[in-house]
Amino acid sequence: MFQKILIANRGEIACRIIRTARRMGIATVAVYSDADAHALHVEMADEAVRIGAAPVGESYLVADNIIEAARMRGAEAIHPGYGFLSENPDFVDKVVAAGLTFIGPSAASIRAMGLKDAAKRLMEKAGVPVVPGYHGEAQDIVLLASKAREIGYPVLIKARAGGGGKGMRRVDNPDDFAEALSGARREAKAAFGDDRVLVEKYVDKPRHIEVQVFGDDFGNVVHLYERDCSAQRRHQKVIEEAPAPGMTAELRAAMTEAAVTAAQAIAYSGAGTIEFIVDASEGLKPDRFWFMEMNTRLQVEHPVTEMVTGLDLVEWQLRVAAGQRLPLTQDQIALNGHAFEARLYAEDAAKGFLPATGTLHHLRFPAITPAGAEIRVETGVREGDAISPYYDPMIAKLVAHGPDRAAALAALSSMLAQTEVAGSTVNTAFLAALATDADFAAGDVDTGLIGRKQQALTAVPAPGAGVIAAAALAASGAEDGPVSDDPWAALAGYAHFHAVPKRVMLKFGGEELAARVSVEEGRWLVAPGTNATLSPSSVGAAPHPYPLPTNGERGAPASAPASFSPFAGRRYRQGDEGQRQPNTGSNLPSLARWPGHITVFDGAISYTFAVPDPLASADEAGGGTGSLRAPMPGLVKVVRAAVGERVAKGQPLLILEAMKMEHTIAAPHDGIVAEIATEGAQVSDGTVLVRFAEEAGD
Ligand code: ADP
Ligand code: ADP
Ligand code: MG
């Protein structure tokens, strides 16, 4: 076995590989870009080497730097993870030429499967069923259009070099073919530098079912059963599971046999996945599945296979790469229970799954395992880390296992409800809505399910009175009293400072909300009010929800009483370490405070309120002094002013890069710069970028 390996990746997969290597007594070398200098994978590894600047083209994709790092540190092998260089045969050639071992298949195997058209031709020869369609060399539009007609609409145009759902267009009728083709070609050219396409029959009620395979250098190939990844948005996986719901013995036998045949056809060694598309329009039939592509690497969703087989796939990869035989034979690999994986992303589901960035000011992963289940969180970030625009915005993979599908799904829902993220927009609520969708829960999933129900699945219900009251309570400073385990003491402290009702202002989705917080008879009381007049408190009775725009259909506003008993409640302190406690007896929801904001967690749904900073608004009114805050999370790309410099209103002070676009931040008024953000800093929404000096009489 290897003594030391280098991991040519970042994030959760780098951390995942380090854990197994450590358990096996193998030392690890991490690589990192400038943006990742303090990342978790760097901290976890035994050693770390800087390989370049933040953009992937200058770091994680620079083969020579990575190989040089491995040689310099005496690593014998390189694990590529997924993405980046993992399916790049030229990289494998270079690794081997440098006298190192690539932890993965041979360059020849990767080349054989690298292009979808060539892979399909190869599979056809090997007797594996392939999606009906055209996968030839000739590419002129007349030919492609006539092939589409022969295949029969709807068809799917696919980039042969495609991946991650890019360069793909569904075409429903011949009139749209030309335009769809040029769109697919453009996207393919930009993403892969190769605009060749194939045309496939668009399968009816498609289900994506894939088989995990493993080979070794002695010609052995086994399968580790299937995964269902039909829950997709824009051809990208959202929640994966194993085994596939409704799988029949006949179909499983046919699919796993085809997968093993496919791997054998290319003398495959290591972990691989054969992806099939299944026509489920008339149930699962053994003659209705077709090869789509092979991913010659460890898959993002490999944990669900680990959960149902009890095996460590990274350990198997390391053993096989070190020249060992597969640890088990086919009949020793059993399937046990059911597992789900949900991909927690920094993205705005309601805005078409727009990727988001930001600092994870508050991050809590599930701590409570539902009875009979097993849970696992795969992540590469910790509280305080930033989701930058440079890399995939995945925050974590939440994995749940149970004795059956219903138990595993309930455990996944529980995990989602226990997950708390503040500082970036996340898809937790969307994942939870999908997990509880009636069709999904019934196992009636096809790749179009999310698209058909997108509105309902991504709708955000308006915050209920209880949520708003909790935010108002936090904004009032109720949490800033002396910290004590004795609720009486805590209350006394609060009451001492807030004997008179305190007025607070919040902003939610552009709406201003006012509330009055007081302490009466041992309870915090929050009464709604407006800017102009504070309505008399309707203490004790269920208050009316605040007049918020309802921009969703899911969930009615909660009618939780807007008063909290401090006696049963847990006090939340900023920087509170440790896991979330069960909310015993208290109706105070969990919440997080971060610069300029309060986020309240209501199950898997989070509500973020902006807390206008009274100082900041005074500054704006006051002219010469004050501070300038980041309007959105981003990267400080360029700083154009220095501390002590006198700047004029409108003068560009810095350039903030957010969502791959540059935004110039100009001086709001004349003044002297007292503090300014540093170039290269990742900042969150609301972070002070520039502070102006006090100027008497200015
Ligand atoms: P999977 O079926 O495992 O999800 P994908 O082809 O969608 O496979 O890609 C796997 C992961 O690798 C994705 O989550 C994506 O973020 C990442 N990835 C894919 N291509 C690249 C790339 N060129 N550079 C960096 N990461 C990539
Ligand atoms: P990528 O390399 O981008 O992962 P795939 O060929 O694996 O490309 O296709 C991605 C997704 O597109 C599949 O998981 C499936 O949902 C959908 N898809 C692919 N081919 C077809 C098809 N012929 N009919 C219907 N849906 C398809
Ligand atoms: Mg695929």
Side-chain angles (χ1 to χ4, degrees):
M1 185 44 65
F2 310 113
Q3 303 281 305
K4 192 194 266 193
I5 62 168
L6 178 140
I7 297 141
N9 216 298
R10 63 179 304 282
E12 67 87 16
I13 194 61
C15 298
R16 158 78 192 85
I17 296 161
I18 292 169
R19 267 199 305 279
T20 290
R22 178 145 307 151
R23 186 173 55 71
M24 295 172 70
I26 302 168
T28 53
V29 182
V31 293
Y32 63 92
S33 71
D34 289 339
D36 281 338
H38 305 289
L40 184 59
H41 75 281
V42 173
E43 183 187 288
M44 281 177 66
D46 297 307
E47 300 171 44
V49 181
R50 177 190 176 273
I51 48 165
V56 295
E58 294 169 41
S59 49
Y60 296 106
L61 291 178
V62 185
D64 293 338
N65 291 0
I66 290 168
I67 292 167
E68 181 53 30
R71 285 222 289 215
M72 202 171 70
R73 298 302 176 104
E76 309 140 74
I78 298 182
H79 195 307
Y82 55 70
F84 297 139
L85 295 166
S86 62
E87 292 180 278
N88 182 327
D90 299 336
F91 177 62
V92 180
D93 283 338
K94 283 185 173 182
V95 169
V96 173
L100 305 170
T101 302
F102 179 76
I103 302 169
S106 67
S109 294
I110 298 178
R111 281 199 181 94
M113 290 296 185
L115 297 172
K116 290 183 207 289
D117 53 354
K120 282 180 73 176
R121 294 196 293 264
L122 188 73
M123 289 299 105
E124 222 169 17
K125 258 193 235 151
V128 175
V130 303
V131 188
Y134 171 75
H135 37 262
E137 292 278 354
Q139 293 285 309
D140 71 276
I141 178 161
V142 179
L143 176 89
L144 292 176
S146 82
K147 289 290 178 189
R149 209 176 298 257
E150 258 170 51
I151 295 161
Y153 284 88
V155 298
L156 191 64
I157 303 174
K158 269 187 196 179
R160 65 168 194 167
K166 280 190 227 114
M168 223 181 272
R169 291 284 189 287
R170 177 187 161 147
V171 196
D172 290 309
N173 69 72
D175 294 344
D176 303 334
F177 188 83
E179 201 184 320
L181 177 65
S182 62
R185 278 180 172 162
R186 250 195 332 270
E187 206 169 290
K189 185 86 193 163
F192 317 109
D194 178 345
D195 66 0
R196 302 236 210 155
V197 300
L198 51 156
V199 184
E200 286 183 354
K201 175 76 195 155
Y202 188 87
V203 171
D204 211 23
K205 196 159 197 257
R207 274 178 66 176
H208 173 121
I209 302 179
E210 58 187 34
V211 176
Q212 175 72 54
V213 293
F214 238 105
D216 65 18
D217 293 339
F218 304 91
N220 301 304
V221 177
V222 297
H223 71 81
L224 278 69
Y225 304 95
E226 80 280 0
R227 293 182 287 258
D228 193 309
C229 313
S230 301
Q232 301 186 347
R233 47 105 179 139
R234 287 207 241 103
H235 305 302
Q236 284 179 350
K237 300 161 186 171
V238 176
I239 295 182
E240 303 99 337
E241 60 181 301
M247 184 53 114
T248 63
E250 294 79 13
L251 181 61
R252 177 175 290 145
M255 288 183 81
T256 54
E257 194 196 316
V260 169
T261 302
Q264 278 166 340
I266 54 167
Y268 198 76
S269 174
T273 295
I274 316 287
E275 294 189 336
F276 295 103
I277 193 92
V278 178
D279 174 348
S281 59
E282 290 166 36
L284 295 179
K285 300 258 170 69
D287 58 349
R288 299 266 179 100
F289 75 93
W290 301 277
F291 171 90
M292 269 193 305
E293 66 163 344
M294 179 173 189
N295 292 326
T296 52
R297 56 170 161 86
L298 192 66
Q299 202 96 338
V300 175
E301 59 272 22
H302 77 276
V304 293
T305 298
E306 297 187 320
M307 296 300 251
V308 294
T309 59
L311 303 172
D312 181 335
L313 268 59
V314 174
E315 177 184 339
W316 278 41
Q317 286 189 297
L318 292 166
R319 288 185 182 284
V320 166
Q324 297 181 13
R325 286 175 182 275
L326 287 176
L328 298 176
T329 56
Q330 190 67 64
D331 54 6
Q332 292 173 313
I333 302 167
L335 185 63
N336 161 40
H338 204 102
F340 284 94
E341 172 188 278
R343 299 189 188 192
L344 181 67
Y345 271 96
E347 67 180 15
D348 195 338
K351 287 191 190 145
F353 304 103
L354 191 72
T357 58
T359 298
L360 305 171
H361 287 287
H362 175 93
L363 184 62
R364 295 287 184 281
F365 289 124
I368 303 159
T369 307
E374 193 186 332
I375 66 171
R376 182 169 145 189
V377 176
E378 294 289 345
T379 188
V381 292
R382 42 208 177 340
E383 193 165 88
D385 284 351
I387 299 297
S388 79
Y390 297 113
Y391 315 113
D392 190 72
M394 187 158 73
I395 295 171
K397 305 188 300 203
L398 306 178
V399 188
H401 179 263
D404 54 40
R405 189 172 188 271
L409 192 55
L412 181 72
S413 287
S414 161
M415 290 184 83
L416 289 162
Q418 293 182 62
T419 299
E420 299 180 358
V421 186
S424 180
T425 306
V426 289
N427 67 344
T428 325
F430 162 65
L431 293 171
L434 179 59
T436 52
D437 174 81
D439 290 332
F440 188 81
D444 186 10
V445 199
D446 65 87
T447 61
L449 176 92
I450 292 176
R452 286 192 299 273
K453 299 188 175 189
Q454 189 156 332
Q455 270 271 282
L457 293 172
T458 59
V460 183
V467 166
I468 296 171
L473 180 64
S476 78
E479 297 174 278
D480 297 338
V483 172
S484 164
D485 289 335
D486 174 3
W488 288 100
L491 180 65
Y494 178 69
H496 175 73
F497 292 109
H498 304 285
V500 285
K502 193 173 172 185
R503 226 182 93 163
V504 296
M505 284 295 307
L506 297 170
K507 269 191 186 171
F508 183 83
E511 289 283 305
E512 290 213 331
L513 306 164
R516 194 182 63 170
V517 178
S518 60
V519 173
E520 281 170 40
E521 290 165 19
R523 291 161 81 82
W524 284 309
L525 302 173
V526 182
T530 64
N531 249 338
T533 52
L534 284 175
S535 64
S537 79
S538 49
V539 174
H544 301 290
Y546 285 80
L548 282 175
T550 307
N551 51 4
E553 316 136 328
R554 190 157 54 84
S559 56
S563 65
F564 299 105
S565 164
F567 310 125
R570 170 173 181 260
R571 291 173 52 78
Y572 289 83
R573 278 160 287 176
Q574 217 167 348
D576 218 358
E577 283 305 319
Q579 301 295 340
R580 183 180 174 187
Q581 303 294 317
N583 230 343
T584 44
S586 166
N587 57 3
L588 180 63
S590 184
L591 55 85
R593 307 170 72 183
W594 48 289
H597 298 84
I598 286 167
T599 300
V600 181
F601 301 99
D602 184 10
I605 305 172
S606 63
Y607 296 97
T608 294
F609 297 83
V611 184
D613 180 350
L615 280 177
S617 45
D619 291 344
E620 276 161 33
T625 59
S627 53
L628 195 56
R629 292 169 189 274
M632 67 194 88
L635 169 84
V636 179
K637 196 97 190 270
V638 179
V639 174
R640 292 240 177 100
V643 171
E645 188 176 331
R646 177 174 288 278
V647 295
K649 181 174 175 172
Q651 183 178 331
L653 301 180
L654 45 84
I655 295 174
L656 188 69
E657 186 188 78
M659 308 315 307
K660 305 212 149 81
M661 279 171 65
E662 295 190 345
H663 308 268
T664 301
I665 310 288
H669 47 66
D670 296 351
I672 292 174
V673 175
E675 265 179 63
I676 190 155
T678 41
E679 224 164 81
Q682 286 292 340
V683 296
S684 62
D685 194 358
T687 302
V688 173
L689 294 174
V690 183
R691 205 180 285 284
F692 296 97
E694 294 274 352
E695 279 186 282
D698 197 36

